[in-house]
Amino acid sequence: MAKRSSLYIRIVEGKNLPAKDITGSSDPYCIVKVDNEPIIRTATVWKTLCPFWGEEYQVHLPPTFHAVAFYVMDEDALSRDDVIGKVCLTRDTIASHPKGFSGWAHLTEVDPDEEVQGEIHLRLEVWPGARACRLRCSVLGARDLAPKDRNGTSDPFVRVRYKGRTRETSIVKKSCYPRWNETFEFELQEGAMEALCVEAWDWDLVSRNDFLGKVVIDVQRLRVVQQEEGWFRLQPDQSKSRRHDEGNLGSLQLEVRLRDETVLPSSYYQPLVHLLCHEVKLGMQGPGQLIPLIEETTSTECRQDVATNLLKLFLGQGLAKDFLDLLFQLELSRTSETNTLFRSNSLASKSVESFLKVAGMQYLHGVPGPIINKVFEEKKYVELDPSKVEVKDVGCSGLHRPQTEAEVLEQSAQTLRAHLGALLSALSRSVRACPAVVRATFRQLFRRVRERFPGAQHENVPFIAVTSFLCLRFFSPAIMSPKLFHLRERHADARTSRTLLLLAKAVQNVGNMDTPASRAKEAWMEPLQPTVRQGVAQLKDFITKLVDIEEKDELDLQRTLSLQAPPVKEGPLFIHRTKGKGPLMSSSFKKLYFSLTTEALSFAKTPSSKKSALIKLANIRAAEKVEEKSFGGSHVMQVIYTDDAGRPQTAYLQCKCVNELNQWLSALRKVSINNTGLLGSYHPGVFRGDKWSCCHQKEKTGQGCDKTRSRVTLQEWNDPLDHDLEAQLIYRHLLGVEAMLWERHRELSGGAEAGTVPTSPGKVPEDSLARLLRVLQDLREARSSSPAGSPPSEPNCLLELQT
């Protein structure tokens, strides 16, 4: 059994933030840290005290994490960014909310004495003495201490206090990974209840020393165990009185949900997977009723999660098309009005949305992506609604005149017609670029709708069924919010956002086949009607070609695509190009275009140039961050690998932002997760001259001073499928609705007792629901009889002691 934890995070918005700029406003963004490690940075929302972000993330991480903190920052172009405030949620706080934490949280002031991080390595022993027992405390080292000095490091020393006596270690200059190996002894008096306090400090020559964290040891407990050694997490100093400043710094609306899953080996889930697959293969032809029953017993609030889990499960079994086809038939069987078809948040609608995000994101980036980029680059003022038009001065060489409203409207219409025309033309040319499984799924949808609604009066209905997903639920939301679909790194400003919204409305009108109802909603969209009408003809022609794919063509296309090694991630990075003992500065990085596949990490001068393999995937041993001080710049990562001769090597790559850094680290960790020889520790610094910059060790090939974080990854749309996890999530959902399933079973079997599943043919033949209930019982018994799963052990275990 394996234990897996993931954290769903949605940063919604902020309100009543304090003004940090002289303009009376702020430029806020959020940094999310898990145990003080930056994982996420939202986009900056300019010139507002009530920003809206609406950004969602899912982080996979070890079950041992302690807290997640949200820092609201004010971006400054010329000086260091200001800290507005923070919200901190401990793991226990999040876990105490079964459905997750959701709501507004007050920002609190960032207290330097609470901004502690890292762990300290201690060996604690109780020795019998001639007159009294002796307490021996060995301070061995520390790791990941908070950098308190401007050079990105600290000058740490440790102060050990017991019963009024204080002892101090030596000072280690310029290191967040110090090693001391110093031992102190204290006399233990019988019955003494005082605790042993170990404090880490940053030494400063001029100003006062900075607090780095402390550990409080229960000596009475130590008397019992006699000896203990391990890494102890540093805690903040909570003895000081705190200022009550809640509400003065504004609030942050968050949704945070923790999911801990103990996943059994694949064999345990096979009966459940086989049963569900059998139901899908039967389709509407056989007695299978499990999928309709799952939909019926699934609440609205968790329908999207269930749809995604089922979709991924059937994708892994090669049955996604059949699963969606079954949902299409179920939806059509209960729909009598064409104008309500696939317009609800049914299991079918949610499943197709998930399907397009998993199977069609690369296609999305290729078709509307370039048009969206052009809108961002042009930054033109566009408005079609006369009630919202802003008339501004135009002209050149000092000859300015006010632009009329008619001129603004006409120029706006021309701009939107050009964007819409370019998008429709790109779509018309993209038939072959659309993934085969998407084309085959839309073929089934088109056929099913045409069979359900035959006749000339319903000629457009099959086309609208396809566009309701492709245009209304996929392209239009991506155009309106490109940041949320990874099409852009930043949110659009107000002007660009309005242009994208109008373009998305036009795409919706085309997707609705220019119906009178869509035209009547906003009459001021009339200037786009010629392009919309032309677009309808283009779209119908596109869909006709899109769904014209036979089984043989589908298989051939899938086989061709499977022979290629699709990129897991690609983009420009800066690689460190100097060797030897020269200075390691950010200027020594060269920009190249990198591509990560399931075979290797390769690079080229440009995206179209011939690629050269840098690192074979099987040779990767770790992918980790590098301390900022090492190269005089931020966002540097290291890929530790072995060359063909088996010698250890390190490649240093610099990203442009913290999000890109974590995305590359996440991708590298995912593709190398099953490699043999993965490292348990590493050096976050560089080997400069004759020692490591992080811990000052002189042995280049010695054990690293920090633990690797191979299990910290971000969930992406192109993640490899995790079949066992999806099966576990479906099992957990079915367990939650088991009472309703039993109720339905009693109805169908004529009042059989709850918990009694028929095991042999009799008065009530065993149907699919009875088999499902038996599978749930077997899985429950398997989980209760299996030993509890535990995370893989790390080189140095973190001890959780009384503090």
Side-chain angles (χ1 to χ4, degrees):
M1 299 199 334
K3 193 164 186 178
R4 309 181 194 181
S5 292
S6 64
L7 203 58
Y8 167 80
I9 296 170
R10 184 165 188 256
I11 305 168
V12 187
E13 60 181 322
K15 68 179 179 182
N16 302 329
L17 301 182
K20 290 290 184 179
D21 300 337
I22 58 174
T23 59
S25 185
S26 290
D27 303 314
Y29 67 91
C30 289
I31 290 284
V32 182
K33 295 183 179 181
V34 177
D35 287 348
N36 296 294
E37 182 177 358
I39 298 293
I40 296 160
R41 183 202 193 278
T42 69
T44 301
V45 183
W46 304 99
K47 294 180 176 57
T48 180
L49 301 180
C50 296
F52 178 82
W53 291 287
E55 299 188 19
E56 297 181 18
Y57 303 89
Q58 190 152 325
V59 186
H60 301 278
L61 66 174
T64 53
F65 86 95
H66 295 82
V68 55
F70 302 82
Y71 292 79
V72 180
M73 311 289 291
D74 168 55
E75 184 167 334
D76 286 321
L78 301 178
S79 61
R80 194 170 187 176
D81 294 351
D82 299 314
V83 181
I84 294 176
K86 76 169 185 177
V87 171
C88 187
L89 300 174
T90 65
R91 190 188 195 285
D92 293 339
T93 300
I94 303 169
S96 66
H97 295 76
K99 294 184 179 180
F101 172 86
S102 179
W104 289 93
H106 291 296
L107 291 171
T108 59
E109 187 174 342
V110 175
D111 183 350
D113 286 342
E114 291 189 10
E115 296 303 295
V116 304
Q117 66 183 64
E119 300 154 10
I120 188 167
H121 190 187
L122 302 174
R123 184 189 302 122
L124 304 162
E125 302 166 286
V126 174
W127 288 79
R131 291 184 303 168
C133 291
R134 306 288 295 176
L135 171 61
R136 180 178 295 175
C137 176
S138 298
V139 182
L140 305 179
R143 62 190 181 193
D144 195 28
L145 298 179
K148 294 291 185 177
D149 298 335
R150 288 187 176 182
N151 58 13
T153 65
S154 288
D155 303 318
F157 69 95
V158 172
R159 185 176 292 157
V160 183
R161 292 189 287 108
Y162 180 69
K163 289 189 68 65
R165 292 187 62 194
T166 301
R167 305 288 296 276
E168 292 184 356
T169 68
S170 57
I171 299 167
V172 179
K173 294 292 186 68
K174 298 180 181 179
S175 176
C176 293
Y177 300 83
R179 297 194 173 201
W180 292 286
N181 293 318
E182 297 183 30
T183 301
F184 308 105
E185 287 192 4
F186 302 90
E187 183 177 307
L188 274 180
Q189 295 179 356
E190 193 66 33
M193 302 298 292
E194 189 167 338
L196 176 75
C197 185
V198 181
E199 298 174 343
W201 292 84
D202 166 52
W203 176 83
D204 284 318
L205 178 63
V206 179
S207 60
R208 70 178 182 88
N209 297 336
D210 298 309
F211 180 71
L212 294 175
K214 70 177 182 178
V215 175
V216 179
I217 308 297
D218 184 346
V219 177
Q220 295 301 316
R221 179 180 177 278
L222 188 61
R223 279 180 180 270
V224 176
V225 297
Q226 294 291 305
Q227 183 174 343
E228 201 145 28
E229 179 180 346
W231 289 92
F232 295 77
R233 182 174 178 78
L234 290 169
Q235 304 290 336
D237 185 3
Q238 298 177 340
S239 60
K240 297 181 180 180
S241 60
R242 301 194 181 173
R243 284 174 289 179
H244 297 283
D245 50 15
E246 289 190 358
N248 298 332
L249 301 176
S251 304
L252 195 60
Q253 188 181 8
L254 301 167
E255 293 177 22
V256 185
R257 186 169 64 249
L258 175 65
R259 188 179 71 193
D260 286 323
E261 294 294 342
T262 301
V263 182
L264 297 167
S266 301
S267 57
Y268 288 92
Y269 298 108
Q270 285 309 304
L272 176 62
V273 174
H274 287 160
L275 180 59
L276 293 174
C277 290
H278 179 68
E279 290 287 305
V280 168
K281 289 175 184 176
L282 285 175
M284 299 286 283
Q285 307 304 317
Q289 293 297 315
L290 286 187
I291 302 301
L293 193 56
I294 289 174
E295 179 176 27
E296 182 183 331
T297 56
T298 301
S299 63
T300 304
E301 62 181 353
C302 64
R303 190 166 294 154
Q304 182 66 73
D305 290 338
V306 173
T308 302
N309 298 145
L310 286 170
L311 187 276
K312 288 185 175 181
L313 177 77
F314 292 122
L315 265 174
Q317 300 296 321
L319 292 172
K321 181 182 65 177
D322 304 87
F323 167 61
L324 294 174
D325 185 38
L326 174 59
L327 294 181
F328 294 153
Q329 295 178 73
L330 291 171
E331 181 101 353
L332 287 164
S333 66
R334 58 175 179 252
T335 303
S336 57
E337 296 292 333
T338 59
N339 59 350
T340 63
L341 186 60
F342 299 116
R343 296 302 170 115
S344 66
N345 290 322
S346 63
L347 190 63
S349 299
K350 294 295 185 183
S351 296
V352 177
E353 284 184 27
S354 297
F355 169 69
L356 289 174
K357 287 180 179 178
V358 173
M361 283 291 274
Q362 197 166 353
Y363 178 66
L364 176 77
H365 283 231
V367 179
I371 286 86
I372 292 172
N373 289 337
K374 188 174 182 181
V375 173
F376 271 82
E377 291 162 6
E378 289 183 351
K379 295 184 179 298
K380 289 184 178 180
Y381 175 69
V382 173
E383 184 55 73
L384 291 181
D385 186 350
S387 65
K388 296 181 179 179
V389 169
E390 297 177 11
V391 178
K392 298 184 178 181
D393 288 348
V394 297
C396 60
S397 303
L399 301 175
H400 296 278
R401 66 173 180 81
Q403 196 177 24
T404 65
E405 179 181 297
E407 288 175 330
V408 173
L409 294 174
E410 178 55 32
Q411 288 181 8
S412 299
Q414 287 179 6
T415 301
L416 285 172
R417 282 195 291 264
H419 289 320
L420 181 59
L423 176 57
L424 293 168
S425 296
L427 187 63
S428 299
R429 299 190 302 267
S430 69
V431 173
R432 295 289 297 174
C434 188
V437 66
V438 175
R439 293 184 63 184
T441 301
F442 281 146
R443 175 194 64 203
Q444 290 299 102
L445 173 61
F446 193 87
R447 289 179 178 177
R448 297 296 185 190
V449 175
R450 190 162 55 184
E451 291 169 2
R452 176 67 179 82
F453 296 103
Q457 73 273 25
H458 300 308
E459 178 187 358
N460 284 337
V461 176
F463 293 97
I464 293 176
V466 175
T467 61
S468 67
F469 291 116
L470 187 64
C471 294
L472 276 62
R473 292 178 180 262
F474 196 41
F475 277 12
S476 285
I479 293 170
M480 284 190 290
S481 303
K483 171 74 168 65
L484 304 186
F485 285 77
H486 309 291
L487 288 161
R488 298 289 297 187
E489 292 180 7
R490 292 178 173 267
H491 288 299
D493 57 28
R495 174 177 290 191
T496 305
S497 181
R498 181 60 179 171
T499 305
L500 292 172
L501 176 62
L502 294 173
L503 180 59
K505 285 178 178 290
V507 171
Q508 289 175 350
N509 287 345
V510 176
N512 285 322
M513 296 290 148
D514 191 29
T515 58
S518 64
R519 287 199 302 271
K521 285 183 180 179
E522 291 157 327
W524 42 264
M525 293 283 287
E526 181 64 30
L528 301 184
Q529 282 309 115
T531 310
V532 169
R533 282 192 291 270
Q534 182 182 353
V536 170
Q538 287 178 278
L539 192 58
K540 290 180 70 173
D541 180 64
F542 164 74
I543 293 173
T544 302
K545 295 175 181 175
L546 188 75
V547 301
D548 185 20
I549 178 173
E550 299 301 326
E551 297 287 347
K552 180 180 180 301
D553 297 331
E554 178 190 346
L555 292 173
D556 289 344
L557 191 53
Q558 287 177 334
R559 194 176 297 113
T560 301
L561 293 174
S562 65
L563 294 175
Q564 304 170 359
V568 176
K569 185 166 181 60
E570 54 186 355
L573 293 172
F574 294 85
I575 184 168
H576 177 60
R577 63 185 178 184
T578 61
K579 295 183 179 180
K581 299 182 179 180
L584 302 176
M585 303 300 292
S586 57
S587 59
S588 62
F589 283 85
K590 180 180 180 181
K591 186 177 182 180
L592 293 170
Y593 193 86
F594 281 81
S595 177
L596 176 66
T597 68
T598 52
E599 297 173 356
L601 177 65
S602 304
F603 67 91
K605 288 186 176 181
T606 65
S608 57
S609 303
K610 184 179 179 181
K611 292 182 175 61
S612 302
L614 175 65
I615 304 169
K616 292 179 181 177
L617 192 68
N619 293 348
I620 294 178
R621 298 292 173 261
E624 299 293 335
K625 296 179 180 178
V626 177
E627 280 187 303
E628 287 191 18
K629 65 166 185 173
S630 301
F631 291 98
S634 306
H635 318 311
V636 179
M637 65 177 173
Q638 55 180 311
V639 185
I640 306 169
Y641 65 101
T642 55
D643 59 20
D644 293 336
R647 294 171 301 213
Q649 304 287 346
T650 303
Y652 295 101
L653 305 171
Q654 186 173 32
C655 306
K656 58 187 174 184
C657 64
V658 67
N659 280 354
E660 186 180 64
L661 171 64
N662 284 312
Q663 288 164 7
W664 271 102
L665 285 172
S666 180
L668 286 161
R669 289 167 179 171
K670 288 171 188 172
V671 295
S672 59
I673 190 65
N674 295 317
N675 284 4
T676 56
L678 290 176
L679 298 178
S681 63
Y682 80 108
H683 287 285
V686 294
F687 196 80
R688 180 185 290 116
D690 61 348
K691 64 182 179 181
W692 288 97
S693 63
C694 44
C695 59
H696 304 170
Q697 285 188 70
K698 295 184 178 297
E699 187 179 352
K700 187 173 183 180
T701 58
Q703 186 181 25
C705 56
D706 197 11
K707 59 185 178 182
T708 54
R709 296 168 174 83
S710 59
R711 300 180 67 193
V712 180
T713 58
L714 300 172
Q715 181 169 299
E716 301 283 349
W717 57 268
N718 59 349
D719 278 355
L721 296 172
D722 189 337
H723 309 94
D724 295 340
L725 177 59
E726 301 306 333
Q728 164 61 25
L729 294 175
I730 293 168
Y731 160 71
R732 188 181 67 166
H733 170 72
L734 293 173
L735 210 58
V737 298
E738 189 177 21
M740 287 186 278
L741 296 177
W742 275 112
E743 181 65 32
R744 178 52 58 88
H745 174 65
R746 285 196 296 272
E747 293 174 4
L748 296 175
S749 58
E753 289 295 321
T756 305
V757 184
T759 57
S760 60
K763 179 181 178 182
V764 182
E766 185 180 31
D767 58 9
S768 55
L769 177 54
R771 290 196 297 273
L772 176 63
L773 291 169
R774 176 175 292 108
V775 166
L776 295 181
Q777 283 183 341
D778 292 343
L779 262 173
R780 189 189 297 109
E781 291 171 3
R783 294 180 69 82
S784 61
S785 61
S786 298
S790 60
S793 60
E794 295 174 338
N796 294 301
C797 171
L798 177 66
L799 298 179
E800 294 293 338
L801 299 187
Q802 182 91 22
T803 59

